């Protein structure tokens, strides 16, 4: 599987049923690293916002705009 999103692309977290101090419904994140696929073959990313940085799966984010 190839990565759907590119470095420096802006994305939003999709609603996943929980929230934490790093995610707000309106936060925009920037992709800072393309990571290897997980055990299920899903692409992963490191994303960063003004609140911090985190790792996410491709299914957890959507492009802005």
């Amino acid at each position: 599987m190839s990565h759907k999103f590119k470095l420096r692309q802006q994305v939003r977290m999709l609603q996943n049923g929980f929230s934490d101090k790093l995610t707000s419904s309106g936060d925009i994140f920037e992709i800072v690293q393309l990571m290897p696929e997980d055990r299920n073959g899903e692409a992963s990313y490191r994303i960063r916002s003004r609140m911090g940085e985190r790792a996410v799966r491709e299914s957890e984010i959507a492009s802005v705009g």
Side-chain angles (χ1 to χ4, degrees):
M1 172 184 258
S2 63
H3 288 83
K4 177 180 174 182
F5 303 104
K6 299 177 182 176
L7 284 176
R8 294 179 292 286
Q9 184 173 351
Q10 292 185 335
V11 296
R12 269 204 176 97
M13 293 286 298
L14 297 173
Q15 289 296 92
N16 55 7
F18 73 92
S19 64
D20 60 31
K21 68 179 184 168
L22 293 179
T23 57
S24 167
S25 60
D27 274 351
I28 294 176
F29 293 81
E30 180 180 343
I31 294 179
V32 295
Q33 182 181 0
L34 305 179
M35 296 173 48
E37 297 172 353
D38 64 13
R39 287 186 261 174
N40 298 325
E42 185 174 4
S44 298
Y45 302 86
R46 292 282 313 168
I47 60 174
R48 180 184 303 146
S49 75
R50 59 185 170 79
M51 296 298 292
E53 191 172 310
R54 66 183 311 147
V56 294
R57 292 183 184 100
E58 194 166 88
S59 62
E60 297 175 315
I61 56 177
S63 63
V64 173

